[in-house]
């Protein structure tokens, strides 16, 4: 069993930056693990934001955040991060970290996630 805990959400203004972190506990991640961020805005479906391969650090981003968001990980701490710059009101959502232990999809799909965090709210005011 893996437990994921997000932190770092909050209220910011458009153009500001915010950093999220996700700490995992319960098991040591293998090289095949993909650590991910998804988000869900009010009234919308959950969407992919970013992912990073635990081994090698290959990353993937959704088009709408590419160039503004950056995902990274600290293998020793079993933690990954989402640095969000130039935030826009349309980035307002609950952000979830998730981990894909077994699927081969790349970029990862929400249906392939094995564990999810409870989410952290990011609100960007205009």
């Amino acid at each position: 069993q893996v437990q994921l805990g997000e932190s770092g959400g909050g209220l910011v203004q458009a153009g500001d930056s915010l950093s999220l972190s996700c700490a995992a506990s319960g098991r040591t991640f293998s090289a095949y693990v993909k650590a991910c961020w998804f988000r869900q805005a009010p009234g919308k479906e959950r969407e992919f934001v970013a992912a990073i391969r635990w081994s090698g650090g290959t990353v993937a981003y959704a088009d709408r955040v590419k160039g503004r968001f950056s995902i990274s990980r600290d293998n020793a701490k079993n933690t990954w991060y989402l640095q969000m710059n130039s935030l826009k009101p349309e980035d307002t959502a609950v952000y979830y970290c998730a981990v894909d232990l077994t699927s081969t999809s790349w970029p990862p799909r929400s249906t392939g996630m094995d564990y999810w965090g409870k989410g952290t709210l990011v609100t960007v005011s205009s």
Side-chain angles (χ1 to χ4, degrees):
Q1 192 75 8
V2 175
Q3 294 80 42
L4 303 180
E6 303 100 336
S7 62
L11 171 63
V12 296
Q13 293 186 333
D16 285 351
S17 298
L18 200 61
S19 181
L20 306 181
S21 63
C22 180
S25 61
R27 65 180 285 175
T28 301
F29 288 163
S30 72
Y32 304 103
V33 166
K34 296 173 280 292
C36 309
W37 290 98
F38 291 82
R39 68 185 183 186
Q40 187 166 18
K44 296 187 177 181
E45 293 188 353
R46 191 170 298 187
E47 64 175 0
F48 169 76
V49 175
I52 186 166
R53 293 187 185 272
W54 207 248
S55 175
T58 304
V59 299
Y61 297 97
D63 287 343
R64 54 184 73 182
V65 306
K66 201 172 293 184
R68 299 188 296 121
F69 289 13
S70 177
I71 188 171
S72 61
R73 85 252 188 259
D74 186 329
N75 294 45
K77 295 182 178 180
N78 254 21
T79 300
W80 59 102
Y81 309 91
L82 186 68
Q83 176 65 39
M84 303 183 291
N85 299 326
S86 303
L87 283 161
K88 305 176 181 179
E90 50 264 43
D91 294 318
T92 294
V94 176
Y95 284 71
Y96 298 90
C97 63
V99 62
D100 176 354
L101 302 179
T102 57
S103 83
T104 58
S105 299
W106 187 260
R109 304 173 183 173
S110 61
T111 53
M113 297 299 108
D114 293 286
Y115 297 97
W116 292 87
K118 294 182 179 180
T120 184
L121 177 62
V122 173
T123 304
V124 185
S125 63
S126 58

